[in-house]
Amino acid sequence: GRFAAVKFSFTDLPAELAAASYYAGECMWVKKDAKGASTFYREVVEKYPSDPHAARAAERLREIERR
């Protein structure tokens, strides 16, 4: 939805992109879509590793892998 749309609007704002991807993953997580959530979380971890959202995204990925 809207978080994913931010990715196309603010390509020059990495902190906002990291947050948008993380929260898009959270939306998928709440909807019980682990595969969709993983895609967004992995993007945060790989593209924005120094962003504070990366640590939370990595934790979510570990949770998904444990299931």
Side-chain angles (χ1 to χ4, degrees):
R2 294 184 189 262
F3 292 116
V6 169
K7 294 169 48 175
F8 300 108
S9 301
F10 301 102
T11 58
D12 59 337
L13 300 170
E16 287 75 6
L17 291 171
S21 292
Y22 175 78
Y23 288 113
E26 288 289 275
C27 290
M28 296 287 113
W29 176 258
V30 169
K31 293 170 76 173
K32 309 283 191 229
D33 181 355
K35 184 177 179 182
S38 293
T39 299
F40 287 108
Y41 293 142
R42 196 170 328 287
E43 180 178 341
V44 177
V45 171
E46 292 175 359
K47 290 186 176 180
Y48 313 102
S50 62
D51 188 272
H53 291 93
R56 289 182 276 182
E59 178 57 33
R60 284 289 200 210
L61 285 169
R62 286 190 289 276
E63 287 182 50
I64 290 168
E65 290 170 4
R66 286 193 291 261
R67 291 179 172 211

